[in-house]
Amino acid sequence: MRERAIARHEVREIEQRHTIDGPRQDATLDEDDDVVIIYNRVPKTASTSFTNIAYDLCAKNKYHVLHINTTKNNPVMSLQDQVRFVKNVTSWKEMKPGFYHGHISYLDFAKFGVKKKPIYINVIRDPIERLVSYYYFLRFGDDYRPGLRRRKQGDKKTFDECVAAGGSDCAPEKLWLQIPFFCGHSSECWNVGSRWALEQAKYNLINEYFLVGVTEELEDFIMLLEATLPRFFRGATELYRTGKKSHLRKTTEKKLPTKETIAKLQQSEIWKMENEFYEFALEQFQFVRAHAVREKDGELYILAQNFFYEKIYPKSN
């Protein structure tokens, strides 16, 4: 309750500041400012590291960052909350340009009749590595908030021991997360092992997301965002390379699983599907990168504009 009260106070302060500064002319925004990015971040994919960059740049690049805090981190919104969220994002002009981030599954704004949809971005990770990181995070936390007591604190069992004992926290079903996050709010998205959910997640990744990166190549993801969305990400690449915050969050006490543990998980149909989605996303990201950058002396650089217009008629006098 205290966090909600603080959040409401912050919103009132911002809205009052905009009123004092003077209303925008006819309440319309410049095209460059009428932009919203939604980063529906998957847990334990370096999402905090990336979000820190957005927070560090927001004052300099003049946009707002808003965390979507859902009750108990539930990634599925009720229908009424979906309506509220879509209305907030599209009509809250004081918060534009805006960067929204939170652990929510993909939401199709077109279903609600909006004229201009937000720009979706995301990052995903090798599914077993993500699960291992989350397993130890629940027990030992990380170096971002080291004093915070975690839900499974005190449980010293390693991930290998958990898998060998058939524990619930390391069961193959726990791998089923990245697919439903991209699939969305349909019931079938959350049916573990659904082939339809996998195909819908692939469809959304290609058709509804501006760019999806991978944790293992996060710097290249940031570089592409800076080149294509400079309104938000100007200076992001250099900040990621040199800044302290971008490397701040690391799960504590994490032990890499043995080959035997990995092999056991890889026998699961759920792993095969989550890995298929990860490989699909990785191939798409590498395809985008291959057409956008070149390497010289071990460094990547963004290609300049590679098209132009000609034979423009009718000729002007």
Side-chain angles (χ1 to χ4, degrees):
M1 293 298 293
R2 182 174 177 272
E3 288 182 351
R4 288 184 181 181
I6 292 171
R8 290 192 188 100
H9 176 70
E10 289 175 346
V11 168
R12 282 197 300 270
E13 275 194 337
I14 292 169
E15 289 178 338
Q16 287 170 3
R17 192 158 63 243
H18 277 280
T19 302
I20 293 169
D21 292 343
R24 300 172 192 254
Q25 187 176 8
D26 197 28
T28 58
L29 296 171
D30 292 337
E31 187 176 353
D32 289 345
D33 288 342
D34 191 13
V35 180
V36 168
I37 292 175
I38 294 181
Y39 172 35
N40 64 314
R41 43 196 281 196
V42 180
K44 304 315 296 176
T45 55
S47 62
T48 299
S49 299
F50 175 60
T51 304
N52 278 337
I53 291 174
Y55 276 111
D56 286 348
L57 291 174
C58 65
K60 180 181 178 182
N61 290 345
K62 297 181 180 178
Y63 61 88
H64 296 95
V65 181
L66 300 90
H67 178 220
I68 310 157
N69 188 345
T70 59
T71 303
K72 296 183 179 179
N73 282 330
N74 186 356
V76 178
M77 290 182 172
S78 67
L79 185 60
Q80 58 269 34
D81 273 348
Q82 293 177 42
V83 172
R84 294 182 186 110
F85 180 63
V86 170
K87 186 177 180 181
N88 289 156
V89 168
T90 54
S91 63
W92 199 1
K93 293 181 180 179
E94 290 84 3
M95 292 297 108
K96 291 182 179 180
F99 179 96
Y100 291 74
H101 67 97
H103 296 313
I104 59 169
S105 57
Y106 168 76
L107 183 61
D108 181 9
F109 276 59
K111 288 172 59 176
F112 300 87
V114 301
K115 294 179 180 178
K116 187 172 183 178
K117 297 198 295 185
I119 296 171
Y120 269 94
I121 62 172
N122 217 325
V123 177
I124 69 171
R125 186 176 186 177
D126 174 278
I128 291 180
E129 290 183 6
R130 194 205 65 79
L131 180 58
V132 171
S133 182
Y134 189 62
Y135 178 88
Y136 285 109
F137 172 72
L138 291 179
R139 285 151 179 79
F140 301 102
D142 55 28
D143 53 6
Y144 188 64
R145 289 184 290 178
L148 186 64
R149 183 173 179 82
R150 299 297 173 179
R151 181 156 34 108
K152 298 284 184 174
Q153 189 168 325
D155 181 3
K156 304 293 185 181
K157 188 184 295 181
T158 68
F159 188 80
D160 289 327
E161 291 168 344
C162 178
V163 171
S168 60
D169 284 349
C170 55
E173 288 76 14
K174 294 292 185 181
L175 291 166
W176 190 260
L177 192 67
Q178 298 186 131
I179 287 173
F181 257 71
F182 278 78
C183 179
H185 277 69
S186 299
S187 170
E188 187 65 18
C189 295
W190 297 89
N191 285 340
V192 177
S194 167
R195 173 58 58 173
W196 181 89
L198 170 59
E199 295 306 323
Q200 186 64 35
K202 288 180 179 180
Y203 177 88
N204 287 343
L205 186 149
I206 295 296
N207 294 285
E208 304 296 343
Y209 281 79
F210 178 75
L211 185 66
V212 176
V214 294
T215 303
E216 296 78 8
E217 299 174 12
L218 191 60
E219 183 177 323
D220 295 354
F221 172 71
I222 292 169
M223 181 187 297
L224 287 172
L225 286 177
E226 180 171 359
T228 53
L229 298 172
R231 179 69 181 79
F232 289 83
F233 297 105
R234 184 178 291 108
T237 308
E238 185 64 23
L239 183 62
Y240 178 79
R241 289 171 177 169
T242 61
K244 293 179 181 179
K245 279 189 179 181
S246 60
H247 304 287
L248 185 60
R249 191 165 198 173
K250 289 183 173 63
T251 302
T252 309
E253 301 285 337
K254 185 168 66 176
K255 297 178 177 63
L256 296 178
T258 63
K259 291 180 180 179
E260 291 76 18
T261 295
I262 293 173
K264 188 171 182 178
L265 286 173
Q266 289 177 343
Q267 293 172 7
S268 161
E269 289 299 317
I270 298 168
W271 172 81
K272 291 174 183 176
M273 295 177 76
E274 275 280 347
N275 192 63
E276 180 181 334
F277 180 64
Y278 170 75
E279 295 287 348
F280 179 84
L282 177 61
E283 182 179 353
Q284 173 64 14
F285 175 70
Q286 292 177 340
F287 177 84
V288 171
R289 183 180 61 188
H291 287 80
V293 303
R294 289 292 179 269
E295 184 175 351
K296 185 176 181 181
D297 300 327
E299 292 286 328
L300 292 179
Y301 66 94
I302 297 291
L303 290 175
Q305 183 170 313
N306 204 25
F307 72 92
F308 60 93
Y309 304 102
E310 60 180 4
K311 299 179 182 179
I312 303 171
Y313 287 84
K315 296 289 186 182
S316 57
N317 295 327

